[in-house]
């Protein structure tokens, strides 16, 4: 029997919200009346998340637990879950109930009835997010759309339904640190959107500190746009023109005999050019770092444990015993 739906849930230290999440997700999935699996990806949690997952798993056979060896980040955790998923459809959803599980049924319906491969969950109301989060998110989406030219839906995070062929296409990409909300639109599969209200986190705290948001932004920019490199070129060109003018000016001054003059302008020029050079070096460094990482080809996550393997072993054992 093939699975209809895989629900991929990244979790990092989510012990507070996990019971609430299971309580709300399970009825929605049971009501679908189709075979499903929930792939809970424990992203190296240091709290009771893995213990709770094993406990829930005993009563919920469709729950499958994947544990990553170390905390690898939201995007890597989703990739790990998608890579392990087996359903004809896969939906990715956060564990903190900010994405309402009830919308999954609607996404599946839209995916099938409109015959599309991807259904994006689009946040129509973000009033529960902080003003800082809202404005930084807006900046992120508009900048990325302009820089990369990708027609990514505004305010679509990682709550998304994908067909098996989309998941396979994403997983076949060799790219590391892939930012799925941008990778998926670039693949160009037919898509639709479903609006939803982004609720407040049901319990626990956000696992996305500013440092992780910055990493996501850097990965997005360097992964999808060469515009910063072009900025560097423009800076270089402008710098070159200014330097040429300065040279003419200096020669002219020398010809007039005013050679010792302008300490301030010298300092300004040295500091200004130094700054621009450092900035351009930094931009180059970001891209070189990305090339370096992809050259090393180290996986961005390691799966330490998959409960499916355990279950299969147990099934085999039972089968053998039945035969004896
Ligand atoms: N998450 C994860 N690894 C991380 C950080 C977050 O798997 O390193 C998970 C987290 O458990 C949650 C989802 O990613 O299910 C979104 O994180 P969070 O709700 O903290 O982000 P926010 O909604 O505040 O942007
Ligand atoms: Mg959240």
């Amino acid at each position: 029997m093939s699975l209809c739906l895989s629900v991929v849930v990244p979790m990092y230290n989510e012990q507070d919200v996990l019971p609430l999440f299971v309580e709300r997700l399970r009825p929605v999935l049971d009501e679908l009346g189709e075979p499903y699996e929930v792939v809970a990806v424990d992203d190296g949690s240091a709290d009771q998340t893995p213990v709770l997952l094993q406990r829930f798993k005993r009563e919920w056979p469709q729950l499958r637990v994947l544990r990553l060896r170390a905390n690898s980040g939201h995007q890597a955790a989703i990739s790990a879950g998608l890579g392990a998923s087996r359903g004809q459809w896969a939906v990715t959803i956060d564990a903190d109930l900010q994405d309402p599980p009830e919308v999954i049924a609607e996404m599946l319906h839209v995916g099938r009835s409109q015959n599309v491969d991807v259904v994006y969950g689009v946040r129509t109301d973000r009033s529960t997010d902080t003003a800082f989060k809202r404005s930084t998110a807006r900046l992120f989406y508009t900048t990325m759309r302009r820089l990369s030219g990708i027609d990514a839906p505004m305010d679509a995070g990682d709550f998304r339904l994908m067909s098996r062929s989309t998941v396979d296409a994403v997983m076949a990409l060799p790219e590391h640190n892939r930012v799925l909300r941008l990778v998926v639109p670039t693949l160009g599969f037919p898509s639709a959107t479903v609006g939803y209200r982004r609720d407040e986190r049901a319990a626990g705290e956000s696992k996305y500190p500013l440092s992780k948001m910055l990493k996501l932004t850097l990965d997005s920019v360097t992964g999808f746009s060469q515009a910063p490199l072009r900025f560097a070129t423009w800076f270089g060109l402008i710098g070159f023109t200014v330097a040429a003018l300065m040279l003419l000016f200096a020669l002219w001054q020398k010809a007039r005999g005013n050679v010792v003059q302008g300490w301030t302008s010298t300092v300004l020029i040295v500091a200004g050019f130094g700054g621009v050079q450092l900035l351009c070096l930094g931009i180059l460094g970001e891209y070189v770092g990305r090339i370096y990482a992809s050259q090393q080809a180290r996986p961005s996550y390691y799966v330490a444990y998959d409960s499916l393997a355990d279950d299969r072993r147990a099934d085999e054992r039972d089968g053998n015993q039945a035969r004896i």
Side-chain angles (χ1 to χ4, degrees):
M1 185 176 51
S2 74
L3 285 176
C4 166
L5 179 71
S6 296
V7 182
V8 172
V9 199
M11 293 177 187
Y12 178 52
N13 293 343
E14 297 290 9
Q15 61 179 17
D16 295 333
V17 84
L18 196 52
L20 303 170
F21 180 69
V22 169
E23 199 176 300
R24 230 174 106 187
L25 180 67
R26 187 166 182 185
V28 173
L29 298 178
D30 285 342
E31 249 163 58
L32 289 177
E34 315 239 22
Y36 67 86
E37 67 175 351
V38 175
V39 185
V41 186
D42 170 13
D43 185 14
S45 301
D47 66 352
Q48 295 293 306
T49 303
V51 180
L52 289 177
L53 280 174
Q54 288 302 339
R55 202 171 296 160
F56 285 121
K57 193 179 146 20
R58 259 176 254 147
E59 292 139 33
W60 194 8
Q62 286 93 337
L63 180 64
R64 179 174 160 197
V65 182
L66 215 66
R67 183 163 167 85
L68 304 189
R69 233 173 256 292
N71 178 231
S72 314
H74 183 208
Q75 299 295 311
I78 296 180
S79 286
L82 286 176
S85 70
R86 297 168 297 159
Q88 290 154 19
W89 295 92
V91 64
T92 48
I93 182 170
D94 286 353
D96 58 359
L97 290 174
Q98 286 197 284
D99 310 327
E102 295 74 20
V103 178
I104 294 177
E106 196 185 337
M107 285 176 158
L108 202 57
H109 173 73
V110 170
R112 282 174 169 162
S113 60
Q114 299 190 14
N115 204 10
V116 289
D117 280 278
V118 185
V119 182
Y120 298 101
V122 173
R123 302 157 194 181
T124 47
D125 177 357
R126 297 188 67 136
S127 54
T128 51
D129 279 334
T130 60
F132 176 71
K133 184 108 194 171
R134 275 206 304 268
S135 44
T136 47
R138 183 141 292 267
L139 190 68
F140 173 82
Y141 287 107
T142 34
T143 320
M144 281 321 299
R145 278 165 71 104
R146 291 190 67 166
L147 282 186
S148 64
I150 300 171
D151 195 18
M154 269 312 257
D155 275 327
D158 281 304
F159 187 23
R160 174 189 334 102
L161 178 78
M162 287 175 279
S163 66
R164 173 61 25 204
S165 41
T166 315
V167 173
D168 289 345
V170 170
M171 295 311 295
L173 295 173
E175 189 180 359
H176 287 256
N177 301 326
R178 36 175 113 91
V179 180
L180 289 159
R181 66 188 70 171
L182 296 171
V183 166
V184 176
T186 49
L187 296 174
F189 283 90
S191 65
T193 56
V194 164
Y196 72 99
R197 214 184 92 90
R198 184 130 166 109
D199 291 326
E200 246 165 282
R201 186 176 244 285
E205 277 166 15
S206 171
K207 310 295 177 308
Y208 249 92
L210 194 61
S211 56
K212 280 190 182 168
M213 275 163 67
L214 282 177
K215 181 178 180 309
L216 184 74
T217 312
L218 267 181
D219 280 342
S220 306
V221 175
T222 53
F224 290 90
S225 167
Q226 293 176 10
L229 286 175
R230 217 151 292 145
F231 285 148
T233 313
W234 280 112
F235 275 139
L237 274 179
I238 295 168
F240 178 77
T241 318
V242 174
L245 291 177
M246 295 296 301
L247 186 74
L248 289 179
F249 177 69
L251 287 176
W252 181 54
Q253 289 289 338
K254 186 162 168 61
R256 290 180 55 199
N258 299 335
V259 269
V260 191
Q261 196 203 37
W263 177 83
T264 318
S265 59
T266 314
V267 172
L268 278 181
I269 292 160
V270 172
F273 278 101
V276 170
Q277 276 172 358
L278 281 181
L279 182 73
C280 295
L281 263 184
I283 294 173
L284 269 181
E286 282 299 327
Y287 285 88
V288 173
R290 238 185 131 74
I291 300 170
Y292 176 59
S294 69
Q295 196 65 37
Q296 284 177 314
R298 273 181 215 148
S300 45
Y301 56 84
Y302 289 95
V303 176
Y305 165 78
D306 183 351
S307 64
L308 187 70
D310 268 1
D311 292 349
R312 283 200 175 131
R313 265 197 295 277
D315 284 350
E316 270 170 29
R317 224 179 14 245
D318 293 350
N320 287 342
Q321 265 164 8
R323 254 173 265 136
I324 295 163

